């Protein structure tokens, strides 16, 4: 106990988190002064252990006497510091009483609660019951009853807490397969998420009933520090992700010779496309990827984010192994999705409404050297605002015409020919969004925010297209090109060949031969890549978000998807995320303000065209 006293002194005086292992499997974890302690007594193999250890303040103990002694000590010190303190004793019931083998439907499952007699304890019990019962049930609905120790075999910690406020929670082990040692992993994860959230809501209600200021959101009572297991898993996933650049690996290195070959053949024969050889063995990287353990992160939300990223990296590696084979297309469909009918309809309307180029003559524009010089100037401006903005620019001869961001590098194709009026828009797209979110994500403390949460690319490209509009660079030709790429993806996924897709866009949609070739080359790279549909889909999501009153600020913290907006809000409420080190410079420009206001009022992509 003396060591725990010293730990508490260090917590209060120095802000040093407590992570004390003592005895055989006993552990006290407190990442900051908090008005509660979640306690689990008994087995570390059950789900109650996972629920308790997912909290920012918890105790794992082998027996009730030890748990009571430690809980009383922590409660006494924390109560003086916080004004009130609640111990949540969380465990499992011995059996799932409502489940029978021959029952024709999924019955409710039991949650049993008990508390002390004070108004604050009763408020905590009521809120836990409401929160747990109100959860949308995917499998079985909770039914909350009173926990009566005299009629149950399970002990409760309250007998060892003296005058410390307490809430007892017991739940049926519905995650176990009846009659076996196996479990239902998805059901277990749902139980953990439900119980953790309900417990934090109970603490919030307890504080309010104790006449203390409750948190703005109960989520802010969650973890505010990454344990070592989280950092190790993040580094391990980053090690795999850093092994390859997916887009570079599936982008042809002979785009210009391929165009000349296609042109010389009268646009009738698919040209030979060459790719960079892989510098690693796919199977070895997959073994490394799945050697990353996510079992001990003690944070269900982070476990989910890491698991999703693990699966995405697995899919990308599978695609690289399947380059130039029919499997590549189907794996790409799994990664980027099909072209939904509503998106195709929107794209076709844009192609029909937006005027095409007045002439097929390709005008001389800005070359790679001029673009690279302008890019370095823009990067210097960001570096002046944030010294760790360590981006570089490289001119490459092995890329198709255009720009591409690879981690902290902006790659400019030697074959790029850019109309001058498109320069600011394109640099705002690549630097103002892709590089800014890379470095903001890098500052978050976990590499996953720099590399990108699973599925982040759609929102990234949507924001980048919005950036083009905000700086006044969204031309009819550019929007038409973005829409044409959607339809090219649809044609490819429906089985059209390279040559057939080219004819559709050259003859039916009126794109000049080189523009049509560039669209088709992007879509058929690697063997057929459906990525280009995400640009239009992404900007529609962004515009819908703005129309609904949403802010863009959360999307600048790193590379995240629209699906992760709620997760980012929770991590932010818990204090695990920093405000973005940088916001895109274009947001504060005089040109952007009225356009952003217009977007917030509600516009469609076609309304972004000004020239």
């Amino acid at each position: 106990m003396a060591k725990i006293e010293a730990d508490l002194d260090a917590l209060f005086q120095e802000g040093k988190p407590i992570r004390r292992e003592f005895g055989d499997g006993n552990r006290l974890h407190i990442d900051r002064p908090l008005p509660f302690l979640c306690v689990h007594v008994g087995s570390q193999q059950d789900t109650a252990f996972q629920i308790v250890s997912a909290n920012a303040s918890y105790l794992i103990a082998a027996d009730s006497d030890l748990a009571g002694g430690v809980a009383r000590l922590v409660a006494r010190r924390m109560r003086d510091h916080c004004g009130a303190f609640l111990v949540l004793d969380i465990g499992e019931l011995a059996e799932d009483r409502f489940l029978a083998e021959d029952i024709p439907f999924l019955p409710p499952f039991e949650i049993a609660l008990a508390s002390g007699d004070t108004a604050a304890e009763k408020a905590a019990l009521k809120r836990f019951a409401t929160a747990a019962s109100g959860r949308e049930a995917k499998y079985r609905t909770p039914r909350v009853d009173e926990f009566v120790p005299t009629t149950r075999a399970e002990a409760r910690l309250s007998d060892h807490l003296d005058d410390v406020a307490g809430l007892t929670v017991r739940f049926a082990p519905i995650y176990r397969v009846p009659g076996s040692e196996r479990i239902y992993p998805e059901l277990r994860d749902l139980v953990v998420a439900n119980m953790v959230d309900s417990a934090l809501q109970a603490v919030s209600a307890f504080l309010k009933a104790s006449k203390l200021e409750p948190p703005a959101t109960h989520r802010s009572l969650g973890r505010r520090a990454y344990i070592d297991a989280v950092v190790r898993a993040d580094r391990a996933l980053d090690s795999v992700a850093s092994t390859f650049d997916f887009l570079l690996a599936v982008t042809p290195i002979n785009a210009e010779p391929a165009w000349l070959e296609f042109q010389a053949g009268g646009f009738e024969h698919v040209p030979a496309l060459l790719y960079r050889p892989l510098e690693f063995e796919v199977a070895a990287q997959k073994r490394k990827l799945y050697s990353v353990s996510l079992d001990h992160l003690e944070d269900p939300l982070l476990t989910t984010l890491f698991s999703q990223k693990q699966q995405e990296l697995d899919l990308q590696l599978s695609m690289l192994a399947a380059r130039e084979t029919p499997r590549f297309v189907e794996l790409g469909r799994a990664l980027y999705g099909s072209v939904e009918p509503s998106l195709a309809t929107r794209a076709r309307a844009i192609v029909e409404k937006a005027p095409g180029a007045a002439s097929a003559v390709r005008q001389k524009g800005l070359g790679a050297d001029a673009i690279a010089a302008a890019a370095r100037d823009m990067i210097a401006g960001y570096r002046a605002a944030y010294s760790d903005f360590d981006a570089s620019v490289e001119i490459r001869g092995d890329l198709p015409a255009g720009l591409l961001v690879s981690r902290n590098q902006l790659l400019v194709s030697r074959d790029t020919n850019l109309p001058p009026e498109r320069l600011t828009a394109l640099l705002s797209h690549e630097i103002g969004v892709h590089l800014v979110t890379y470095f903001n994500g890098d500052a978050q403390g976990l590499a996953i925010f720099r590399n990108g949460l699973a599925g982040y690319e759609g929102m990234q490209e949507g924001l980048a297209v919005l950036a083009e509009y905000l700086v006044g660079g969204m031309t009819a030709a550019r929007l038409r090109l973005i829409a044409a790429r959607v339809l090219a993806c649809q044609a490819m996924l429906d089985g059209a060949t390279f040559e057939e897709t080219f004819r559709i866009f050259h003859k039916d949609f009126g794109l000049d031969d080189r523009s049509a070739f560039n669209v088709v080359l992007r879509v058929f790279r690697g063997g057929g890549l459906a990525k280009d549909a995400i640009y239009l889909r992404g900007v529609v999501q962004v515009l819908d978000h703005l129309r609904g009153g949403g802010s863009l600020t959360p999307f600048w913290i790193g590379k995240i998807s629209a699906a992760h907006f709620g997760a980012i809000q929770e991590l932010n409420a818990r204090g695990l995320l920093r405000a973005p080190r940088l916001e895109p410079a274009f947001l504060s420009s005089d040109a952007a303000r009225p356009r952003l206001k217009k977007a917030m009022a509600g516009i469609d992509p076609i309304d972004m065209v000004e020239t």
Side-chain angles (χ1 to χ4, degrees), residues 548-567:
S551 168
L552 293 178
T553 301
F555 294 111
W556 306 132
I557 65 101
K559 296 183 182 292
I560 70 172
S561 76
H564 292 125
F565 192 70

Side-chain angles (χ1 to χ4, degrees), residues 349-362:
I350 290 172
V351 169
E352 292 172 352
K353 291 178 183 177
S359 171
V361 177
R362 299 179 66 82

Side-chain angles (χ1 to χ4, degrees), residues 466 469 538-548 599-600 602-606 608:
L466 178 72
Y469 161 65
V539 78
V540 169
Q541 288 180 328
V542 172
L543 292 175
D544 286 346
H545 177 75
L546 289 172
R547 182 186 293 113
M600 293 171 69
I603 61 174
D604 288 323
I606 193 69
M608 297 191 301

Side-chain angles (χ1 to χ4, degrees), residues 239-259:
S239 176
V240 175
S242 300
T243 304
F244 63 96
D245 186 301
F246 178 73
L247 284 182
L248 275 179
V250 300
T251 297
I253 61 176
N254 66 326
E256 187 64 22
W259 157 246

Side-chain angles (χ1 to χ4, degrees), residues 243-251 275-276 278-280 282 285-286 313-325 327-328 331 526 529:
T243 304
F244 63 96
D245 186 301
F246 178 73
L247 284 182
L248 275 179
V250 300
T251 297
Y275 299 90
R276 297 163 183 80
L278 299 180
E279 300 177 4
F280 58 91
V282 169
Q285 289 304 313
K286 284 200 171 193
L313 289 170
D314 177 30
L315 191 52
Q316 289 178 333
L317 287 167
S318 295
M319 290 182 70
L320 294 184
R323 281 189 310 186
E324 301 182 272
T325 73
R327 289 187 64 243
F328 185 88
L331 290 168
L529 187 68

Side-chain angles (χ1 to χ4, degrees), residues 9-300:
D9 289 338
L11 177 69
F12 294 132
Q13 296 168 15
E14 305 168 28
K16 185 178 179 181
I18 298 174
R19 182 91 174 171
R20 170 68 61 184
E21 307 275 352
F22 53 99
D24 185 18
N26 302 304
R27 181 192 305 149
L28 177 65
H29 173 101
I30 305 176
D31 74 13
R32 65 191 187 279
L34 286 164
F36 72 95
L37 182 71
C38 289
V39 181
H40 176 58
V41 179
S43 171
Q44 296 191 17
Q45 305 303 316
D46 60 22
T47 291
F49 168 80
Q50 294 186 341
I51 294 167
V52 167
S53 60
N55 285 279
S57 175
Y58 75 81
L59 170 65
I60 305 296
D63 62 77
S64 296
D65 287 337
L66 175 62
V70 175
R72 290 194 305 272
L73 171 60
V74 173
R76 174 173 53 81
R77 296 292 303 275
M78 287 291 183
R79 192 163 50 196
D80 291 342
H81 185 88
C82 300
F85 194 81
L86 179 68
V87 171
L88 296 98
D89 169 22
I90 301 177
E92 298 184 15
L93 296 168
E95 61 181 342
D96 187 0
R97 293 192 304 161
F98 299 154
L99 184 63
E101 288 186 4
D102 60 346
I103 199 161
F105 61 92
L106 288 175
F109 73 93
E110 184 178 12
I111 297 178
L113 304 177
S115 73
D117 295 327
T118 68
E121 289 169 292
K122 294 296 185 185
L125 184 150
K126 183 178 180 181
R127 176 68 67 84
F128 192 105
T130 301
S133 302
R135 276 282 177 139
E136 182 179 346
K138 185 174 182 180
Y139 295 104
R140 297 172 63 186
T141 304
R143 192 180 87 184
V144 179
D145 293 319
E146 183 180 0
F147 179 66
V148 183
T150 57
T151 63
R152 311 298 292 250
E154 299 87 355
R156 63 175 182 171
L157 187 60
S158 59
D159 297 333
H160 302 265
L161 293 181
D162 296 339
D163 64 339
V164 177
L167 173 64
T168 302
V169 179
R170 296 290 184 269
F171 62 92
I174 63 169
Y175 64 93
R176 295 189 182 279
V177 178
S180 77
E181 295 299 316
R182 301 191 309 277
I183 66 169
Y184 303 111
E186 185 182 13
L187 185 52
R188 176 196 59 197
D189 293 346
L190 289 171
V191 170
V192 171
N194 185 6
M195 293 295 171
V196 170
D197 188 78
S198 299
L200 296 183
Q201 290 198 47
V203 175
S204 183
F206 173 80
L207 294 175
K208 184 176 182 180
S210 298
K211 309 302 182 185
L212 297 173
E213 185 70 27
T217 169
H218 64 282
R219 295 289 189 179
S220 65
L221 296 168
R223 283 179 174 270
R224 197 169 288 179
Y226 301 125
I227 64 171
D228 289 343
V230 170
V231 176
R232 286 195 301 271
D234 179 66
R235 287 175 180 169
L237 289 177
D238 181 50
S239 176
V240 175
S242 300
T243 304
F244 63 96
D245 186 301
F246 178 73
L247 284 182
L248 275 179
V250 300
T251 297
I253 61 176
N254 66 326
E256 187 64 22
W259 157 246
L260 295 175
E261 178 187 342
F262 190 55
Q263 185 183 47
F267 310 130
E268 294 294 333
H269 306 288
V270 60
L273 301 177
L274 304 178
Y275 299 90
R276 297 163 183 80
L278 299 180
E279 300 177 4
F280 58 91
E281 184 185 356
V282 169
Q285 289 304 313
K286 284 200 171 193
R287 288 193 295 271
K288 185 177 178 182
L289 178 64
Y290 282 105
S291 70
V292 180
S293 174
L294 305 180
D295 294 335
H296 306 291
L297 305 189
E298 298 184 2
D299 190 317

